[in-house]
Amino acid sequence: MLRHDFQPGRLIAGFFLTLTGIIYAGDAGGLWETPWFAVIPLVTGGLCLAAVAGTVTHAIRHRRKKLASRETREAPMQS
């Protein structure tokens, strides 16, 4: 059994923020030249994708929980 629920929104947000950090680290190390505004679309796009993934995940879990509670209420009692 898992210790916690898988949260794909946090995974996506972490990936894009890590990618942004790698881009800035490469620029600071002199490997390439990155303009300061180049990562704004990367961060905002990643956070938007994370929000969509989190919303979809929440909706799916809420629906499953609702269906499971309905099935337990409608199940006939066995003796």
Side-chain angles (χ1 to χ4, degrees):
M1 179 153 192
L2 296 175
R3 291 186 180 189
H4 55 82
D5 292 333
F6 176 65
Q7 298 177 343
R10 289 186 181 194
L11 178 68
I12 293 170
F15 171 76
F16 277 94
L17 292 175
T18 301
L19 183 62
T20 303
I22 290 170
I23 289 171
Y24 271 135
D27 183 36
L31 297 175
W32 54 77
E33 187 73 26
T34 306
W36 65 269
F37 56 85
V39 295
I40 292 173
L42 187 65
V43 171
T44 55
L47 290 177
C48 288
L49 284 174
V52 169
T55 303
V56 169
T57 302
H58 175 73
I60 290 171
R61 287 189 181 139
H62 180 71
R63 180 176 168 87
R64 284 184 183 171
K65 185 177 178 182
K66 189 176 179 181
L67 289 174
S69 67
R70 184 183 307 163
E71 287 175 0
T72 57
R73 279 187 282 143
E74 293 176 355
M77 297 293 288
Q78 296 178 353
S79 11

